[in-house]
Amino acid sequence: MPRLGWASFVILGGLALAAPARAFDVQLDTDTSFQIYEVRSPTARAFMARRRLLSRLGVRMTHDLTEPAADGSAIRLLAEGQLRLEQDFGETCLLDRELCVVAVDADDAGAWQPLAADTRLDVPSLWVGVSGLPLGVTARLGRQLALDTIGFARFDGLSLQSAPVRWLRLEAFGGMLVRGTSLAGTSRSDPQGSIRLDTERDVPWAARPSDTWVLGARLSGGPGRLLSLSIGYRYMWDGDGEVMSRISAGASSQPAPWLRLDANAVVDLFTEEVIEARGTVRLGEGAVVGHAQASRHVPRFDPGTIWAWFAVAPINLAEVGARWEVNDDVSMGGAIKGRYAELSDGEDLDAGLDGWLRARWEGVRFTWTGFVWSGALGPLAGVHLGARRPILGWLELGLAVNVWYFEDPNRQDLSGVVLNEVLEGRFRISPETLVVTELQHATSRVVGHRFRGLVALRVETWP
């Protein structure tokens, strides 16, 4: 186990021993799933027979350092730790020969894949903190997640939050970005387009490990529902230079119970371009609520990589829809959508419809969703039908059927119908423990038959 993984249990265990049991709350939750799947293609010589184990353990603790006031406020010691294990088993073999490929074997130059790994053990979070300090300050130190309009970033460092008055909130954080080359880290927070590997072998398309640092701040507040404003900033750099410099702004308002307005945007300060923008209007209250939304996304990559030199295709989306709560047992909704892509050699236009229906009858919950798109990306349509019913109080069974139709205008051989069936069982062993089993089958003309099995165990408790 990585040193950081051991450290999580040492720190959290030490806190448990140091605090009185009467004022110490501990929450434990864990998820473990095991998948079995097989993938074959009628046009390829290889097949994949794989098994995958995913397990996550989380611990959260709180301890009152002062006696709670009349409103329940107090200075509290906080701690959180998570440990995640991903383990793959199985084979990738040829159909016409007794030969299997081991992608993680670095000694086999013809099969080795630098990004492949059978075992991944990481620590998503590990921090200690204090809340309830003067001026509403909360401080956290360790591995944590920053999430706002600019995006998410997992980092090892310090974060501060303050709410000196009810209508104002300040946040700031800084530290080292958690990358795939970090201790007990993954590449989920790596800048787009940047690939770094810690390996003794030469990989031309990857760079050596480099520490990436991140700083961020956010200010938000306003006079309640009438108006709420926010502004944020994030800056990242590594040994090769600047990686990111972005500012965000947002506003929301609910001048009446039947009207809500939301808008936000992100500006890349390197190019002085709006790379993310979204605006939403919601109308109505009660049984019928309508909405209209428009958004824009411009891809961005690490400016120190070759991907930053290529032309990008901004994507603009718009939709208008509504939701209707017919009664306590039936609800439905739908939307009209459009997509406009700005390509370097032209434009892409697409339009679509989607709808959904949820109903409950004789203890059975039914769901139906459907969509249809047409335009530059070719015809695309799909329908989902599902039903779920609790049995005996501790067992719930579910059945779903999905059908998709697709056509690729650039490749005539990629078209047809995909049929997928799913059978699910949910077993409630105790109020804190749930076992989920799932069997799936999918078939199409392009890839043939595919099978997948899943068993998942979920536990959440307060010791």
Side-chain angles (χ1 to χ4, degrees):
M1 179 182 293
R3 287 173 293 171
L4 191 55
W6 283 115
S8 64
F9 295 99
V10 171
I11 293 175
L12 297 178
L15 291 173
L17 295 175
R22 60 181 175 81
F24 199 79
D25 291 324
V26 181
Q27 182 183 17
L28 172 68
D29 67 274
T30 178
D31 297 285
T32 300
S33 63
F34 185 70
Q35 300 182 50
I36 302 173
Y37 61 94
E38 181 179 292
V39 178
R40 299 193 184 202
S41 173
T43 59
R45 298 171 54 206
F47 74 93
M48 298 174 60
R50 309 290 294 178
R51 276 83 66 194
R52 186 166 186 260
L53 175 69
L54 174 61
S55 184
R56 184 192 62 84
L57 173 65
V59 181
R60 285 177 289 274
M61 303 181 183
T62 63
H63 170 55
D64 289 348
L65 299 177
T66 61
E67 291 295 329
D71 60 357
S73 61
I75 298 179
R76 292 186 173 91
L77 179 66
L78 313 171
E80 178 181 297
Q82 292 188 48
L83 184 66
R84 179 170 52 202
L85 168 67
E86 298 180 52
Q87 179 68 53
D88 282 345
F89 312 89
E91 299 176 326
T92 300
C93 302
L94 297 182
L95 293 170
D96 54 357
R97 296 173 55 190
E98 292 187 2
L99 176 63
C100 294
V101 176
V102 182
V104 297
D105 185 3
D107 295 329
D108 187 352
W112 181 54
Q113 299 292 329
L115 297 180
D118 282 342
T119 304
R120 293 182 176 89
L121 184 65
D122 71 292
V123 178
S125 69
L126 177 64
W127 55 264
V128 293
V130 180
S131 67
L133 297 174
L135 298 179
V137 171
T138 296
R140 293 180 179 179
L141 178 64
R143 178 163 294 181
Q144 49 197 300
L145 179 68
L147 179 62
D148 56 24
T149 307
I150 297 176
F152 76 92
R154 200 174 298 278
F155 67 97
D156 295 325
L158 174 68
S159 70
L160 297 172
Q161 300 177 1
S162 176
V165 291
R166 182 179 58 84
W167 49 269
L168 180 64
R169 182 179 181 87
L170 303 96
E171 304 171 53
F173 67 91
M176 185 183 297
L177 187 72
V178 177
R179 306 188 56 135
T181 53
S182 301
L183 177 64
T186 68
S187 59
R188 293 180 176 90
S189 291
D190 283 9
Q192 289 293 313
S194 176
I195 299 178
R196 296 183 180 271
L197 291 176
D198 187 6
T199 176
E200 297 179 357
R201 303 196 57 162
D202 181 36
V203 181
W205 42 263
R208 299 296 300 170
S210 177
D211 293 337
T212 304
W213 298 89
V214 56
L215 294 173
R218 188 168 184 264
L219 174 66
S220 59
R225 290 185 176 182
L226 185 62
L227 181 63
S228 178
L229 302 172
S230 67
I231 184 170
Y233 177 70
R234 186 176 300 177
Y235 181 72
M236 291 170 51
W237 74 98
D238 62 18
D240 297 330
E242 295 177 312
V243 175
M244 175 191 293
S245 181
R246 297 176 187 173
I247 188 171
S248 67
S252 63
S253 175
Q254 189 169 359
W258 50 269
L259 175 63
R260 180 176 176 85
L261 309 171
D262 295 280
N264 58 70
V266 177
V267 177
D268 186 340
L269 296 181
F270 290 155
T271 61
E272 299 182 350
E273 182 181 6
V274 177
I275 60 173
E276 298 283 350
R278 182 184 300 271
T280 304
V281 177
R282 289 182 174 84
L283 292 168
E285 61 177 330
V288 180
V289 176
H291 73 272
Q293 180 176 281
S295 64
R296 176 179 173 82
H297 168 68
V298 183
R300 273 297 177 270
F301 302 94
D302 183 343
T305 67
I306 192 174
W307 301 106
W309 293 91
F310 289 98
V312 297
I315 306 296
N316 304 280
L317 300 172
E319 70 172 80
V320 177
R323 168 183 58 83
W324 179 25
E325 299 286 344
V326 181
N327 53 45
D328 292 341
D329 296 323
V330 179
S331 60
M332 64 181 65
I336 303 173
K337 300 183 177 182
R339 169 187 169 273
Y340 168 58
E342 304 170 23
L343 306 181
S344 58
D345 58 351
E347 301 174 343
D348 269 2
L349 291 172
D350 300 271
L353 299 170
D354 68 16
W356 57 270
L357 170 69
R358 300 188 185 99
R360 185 170 51 199
W361 178 73
E362 296 294 332
V364 181
R365 296 193 298 271
F366 297 95
T367 59
W368 171 87
T369 61
F371 66 90
V372 57
W373 278 83
S374 184
L377 295 182
L380 177 67
V383 175
H384 162 84
L385 298 172
R388 307 174 66 91
R389 191 185 195 286
I391 300 175
L392 303 176
W394 55 271
L395 172 64
E396 183 177 87
L397 297 179
L399 176 65
V401 177
N402 305 285
V403 182
W404 295 276
Y405 172 77
F406 64 99
E407 288 186 18
D408 189 331
N410 300 314
R411 295 182 58 182
Q412 297 301 320
D413 57 325
L414 290 181
S415 62
V417 176
V418 180
L419 175 64
N420 168 239
E421 316 91 45
V422 183
L423 179 63
E424 182 185 71
R426 304 169 70 90
F427 305 86
R428 177 65 65 177
I429 298 177
S430 70
E432 301 85 9
T433 308
L434 177 68
V435 175
V436 180
T437 61
E438 192 175 277
L439 295 175
Q440 290 191 23
H441 166 258
T443 182
S444 71
R445 178 189 60 81
V446 177
V447 299
H449 294 277
R450 289 161 292 168
F451 298 91
R452 176 175 177 264
L454 170 69
V455 178
L457 171 67
R458 300 173 184 171
V459 180
E460 183 174 359
T461 184
W462 290 84

